[in-house]
Amino acid sequence: MWVNAQGPGVALAIAALGVCGCSSPQVADPDIVRPAPGAPFLDKLPGPMLGPFSSPSSALLAACRKILTKPHSSAGARDHQDFDIRWRVSSEYCAWMYYTPDQQYVVSKLTDQSRVDPLQRSKSCLLPSWVDDPRYPPDAIRYIYALHNHPYGSSLTENDIRFIVSEGLAHGFESETKDGRLRLSVVAFFSRNAAEPSCDGFHQYIPLTGQLLKWSRSGANWQCEQTGSVRWSDADTRTFSVQKRSAPCERSNTP
C-alpha cells in the first residue's frame, strides 16, 4: 500500500494519540518476537501463540482478533481527520497459521520486523518462511495461511502476492489435512475502527486458483466477494496482472 501522510500539527497530533519519543521502559509483549538490535531479520517464528484449534476458520478468526488488538494495528478510515497521523504510527504484524501432526491448527508468535519506508508511503511486515515449533520435526508442519494486518484495510499488494507464491514453491500450494486438501493463501486483516479495532474482515489471495477475495463481517454474519483474479504472464520473472471483477464467492458464507 502507498499513502502519503503529511499535514500540519503532526507533532501535537502524535502526542495526542499517545505516541512520543519518551525513554520510559516498555513491557515486552510475549506474543511478539523481534531480532536483537543490529541482528539480521528473523528467519523463523516460534510457535505456538494460539491454539490448538479443531478447524482452520476458528484459528483464522482467533488470529484476526489477536493481531488487531496490538498497538497501532489499525489506522481506521482514510477520511478520518486523524488518519495521516494514525498512518504514520501504524504497524503491520505477521504470523503463520499451520497444521500439526496432531491434526490441529495453530498460530505462531507474531513479529513486526519490517523494512522502513523513509517516505512513509508503505507499511510492511517481513514474515519468516519457517516456523520453529519444538514439539514437531520441521518437515511435519504444514503451512496454511500467511497472516498479517493492513492498517487501513487496503487490498493485497504486489509484494503480498509474490511472497505467497514463493512460499508455495517452498512449502507446497496444498496441504493434506483432516478437513481435506487446504490451499495455501495470504490473508490481510483489517478493522474499520482505529480507536477500538475489531476483526471486521480480511483480503485473501489463493495462488492455486488465482482468486482475490474480500471477506467482510457485519455483526455475526460474513459476506465474501471475489474482487479479482491474478494472471501470471511470466513465471520466471514473476510478472502478473490483476483482472478486477466483482462476483459472489463460490463457497460457504463463513470463512
Side-chain angles (χ1 to χ4, degrees):
M1 65 186 75
W2 297 87
V3 177
N4 286 321
Q6 299 176 350
V10 169
L12 290 176
I14 290 178
L17 290 173
V19 180
C20 69
C22 309
S23 58
S24 57
Q26 294 184 348
V27 177
D29 187 331
D31 295 335
I32 301 172
V33 293
R34 301 180 175 104
F41 288 123
L42 302 175
D43 60 1
K44 295 179 181 179
L45 281 183
M49 175 183 68
L50 296 173
F53 299 93
S54 60
S55 70
S57 60
S58 297
L60 179 70
L61 297 181
C64 183
R65 292 188 292 267
K66 172 67 78 171
I67 288 176
L68 290 171
T69 64
K70 297 307 176 186
H72 311 300
S73 59
S74 175
R78 294 187 66 176
D79 58 359
H80 191 281
Q81 63 178 1
D82 292 329
F83 174 78
D84 285 354
I85 308 307
R86 293 185 186 277
W87 166 257
R88 281 182 178 270
V89 301
S90 65
S91 295
E92 286 193 7
Y93 302 88
C94 49
W96 278 106
M97 191 265 273
Y98 56 100
Y99 185 71
T100 72
D102 298 329
Q103 299 186 329
Q104 298 290 313
Y105 300 91
V106 178
V107 179
S108 73
K109 298 269 190 175
L110 304 172
T111 188
D112 58 357
Q113 63 181 4
S114 65
R115 290 189 177 91
V116 177
D117 177 7
L119 298 180
Q120 291 288 335
R121 298 168 301 178
S122 66
K123 301 290 181 178
S124 65
C125 183
L126 301 180
L127 179 60
S129 292
W130 306 95
V131 170
D132 181 16
D133 190 326
R135 301 172 299 172
Y136 311 110
D139 60 359
I141 290 173
R142 299 292 176 259
Y143 295 80
I144 309 297
Y145 294 139
L147 308 172
H148 67 306
N149 63 298
H150 277 184
Y152 79 96
S154 57
S155 301
L156 292 167
T157 67
E158 291 186 2
N159 286 339
D160 292 334
I161 291 171
R162 290 193 175 95
F163 170 80
I164 199 61
V165 169
S166 68
E167 296 305 295
L169 295 173
H171 302 302
F173 290 96
E174 280 188 315
S175 293
E176 191 68 49
T177 74
K178 65 179 181 180
D179 301 294
R181 296 190 66 82
L182 296 185
R183 295 164 176 168
L184 180 74
S185 66
V186 60
V187 166
F189 301 122
F190 64 84
S191 175
R192 303 183 186 95
N193 188 331
E196 297 180 2
S198 59
C199 180
D200 293 328
F202 57 90
H203 297 274
Q204 182 179 20
Y205 169 56
I206 308 169
L208 205 60
T209 65
Q211 292 173 300
L212 289 164
L213 309 178
K214 181 180 180 181
W215 291 85
S216 302
R217 182 177 65 86
S218 177
N221 299 319
W222 285 88
Q223 180 179 0
C224 180
E225 174 191 8
Q226 182 171 350
T227 58
S229 58
V230 175
R231 294 289 181 265
W232 294 88
S233 54
D234 191 324
D236 293 333
T237 61
R238 297 187 185 174
T239 303
F240 65 88
S241 62
V242 173
Q243 298 179 349
K244 294 184 178 181
R245 58 172 298 191
S246 180
C249 294
E250 299 176 358
R251 53 180 297 180
S252 68
N253 293 324
T254 55

